[in-house]
Amino acid sequence: MKKNFLIILILLANISINAQMTKMNFGLKSGINMSKYTPDVYVGNSRIVEYQGKIGFYIGGYSNIKISKKFRIQPELLFSNQGTKRVFEDISLFDSNGILIGVSDIEETINESVISLPIILQYFINEKFNLESGIQLGYVINRKQETTKDSFGLNQGNNSQNNNTNYDKFDLGFNLGLGYKISEKLRINIRYFLGLIERDNSIKPSIFSLGIEYEI
């Protein structure tokens, strides 16, 4: 079902682009992002899992299609490094007799390699500034998890990164952003991406990104 949905969206985007295309330019883009999962996990009023931001990057290319004086469509193909920091709060450790040894947090870093296909509609306020929004499809090609803080030493022998294949690989979300033209060939933009579907039945990605685009 997910694959069929992906194919349908791509076909609809191609049909719209081909029907309205008047001018097309190509370019390269890259930037940094701050990503995290949402929402945190609570039991009653107590938070047991907190998701924190993780810095990553993206790189890729785009085509920009002018459909009118004010509107353009920009399909992109990006490789992104993103993820989150996950903190298990107030973990209690007991000995074999059931006596409490201590309470501490355990922190993990999750790194994801993602192929993304944003399809962005741009509205130009003037020659310099534009607003942009659109849908984004993603496919997680690799996911690694590493324990970065463990006061109990529970994972001392298992602190290296490991691949977990049992996770949702398909992602779908919405982008909202702002662009600014520095020169004829160079633009900067800032975007916020919010996942629209739950991955692994609980989490949604939330990503702020700042990047630069160069028209070739």
Side-chain angles (χ1 to χ4, degrees):
M1 180 177 178
K2 291 179 180 179
K3 290 183 178 179
N4 292 336
F5 184 55
L6 173 61
I7 293 171
I8 290 170
L9 285 176
I10 293 174
L11 289 176
L12 288 175
N14 287 334
I15 291 171
S16 174
I17 290 170
N18 291 331
Q20 303 181 66
M21 177 171 43
T22 59
K23 182 181 179 182
M24 177 183 291
N25 297 314
F26 296 91
L28 303 173
K29 62 182 301 175
S30 66
I32 59 173
N33 59 49
M34 172 69 77
S35 61
K36 62 178 291 188
Y37 292 160
T38 62
D40 295 342
V41 180
Y42 287 81
V43 174
N45 294 324
S46 300
R47 183 173 60 187
I48 61 172
V49 179
E50 177 190 8
Y51 292 112
Q52 299 178 351
K54 172 191 169 298
I55 296 176
F57 69 91
Y58 69 89
I59 188 170
Y62 67 89
S63 60
N64 189 276
I65 301 102
K66 183 177 181 180
I67 57 178
S68 72
K69 184 177 180 180
K70 292 287 188 179
F71 289 95
R72 298 184 183 184
I73 294 177
Q74 182 163 298
E76 303 171 358
L77 182 61
L78 307 176
F79 171 83
S80 301
N81 169 261
Q82 58 194 52
T84 192
K85 291 183 179 179
R86 179 168 58 187
V87 180
F88 298 90
E89 298 186 343
D90 297 331
I91 301 298
S92 300
L93 181 66
F94 299 86
D95 64 15
S96 58
N97 296 318
I99 299 175
L100 179 66
I101 297 175
V103 178
S104 182
D105 296 341
I106 295 179
E107 181 180 291
E108 296 177 340
T109 297
I110 299 173
N111 288 289
E112 294 181 337
S113 298
V114 182
I115 299 295
S116 300
L117 177 62
I119 301 174
I120 305 298
L121 176 64
Q122 298 175 328
Y123 172 74
F124 283 79
I125 303 171
N126 53 42
E127 291 185 358
K128 292 290 187 180
F129 288 96
N130 73 277
L131 302 175
E132 53 188 41
S133 64
I135 200 166
Q136 177 172 310
L137 306 168
Y139 187 80
V140 183
I141 58 175
N142 192 33
R143 185 177 188 270
K144 295 181 178 180
Q145 184 174 307
E146 181 181 11
T147 301
T148 52
K149 177 185 176 182
D150 179 6
S151 299
F152 297 139
L154 298 176
N155 293 284
Q156 287 182 351
N158 188 31
N159 198 36
S160 60
Q161 291 183 335
N162 59 86
N163 289 307
N164 178 11
T165 58
N166 187 26
Y167 57 88
D168 289 339
K169 298 178 175 61
F170 179 80
D171 196 18
L172 173 67
F174 182 77
N175 276 306
L176 185 65
L178 175 69
Y180 177 75
K181 184 177 181 180
I182 300 175
S183 66
E184 190 64 29
K185 295 286 188 179
L186 207 58
R187 299 185 63 84
I188 58 173
N189 70 352
I190 184 171
R191 281 184 194 166
Y192 173 67
F193 169 82
L194 176 64
L196 298 179
I197 60 173
E198 286 189 344
R199 291 170 45 196
D200 301 328
N201 299 316
S202 61
I203 58 172
K204 295 180 180 180
S206 174
I207 305 171
F208 282 97
S209 61
L210 174 66
I212 190 166
E213 300 177 355
Y214 179 74
E215 183 179 313
I216 57 178

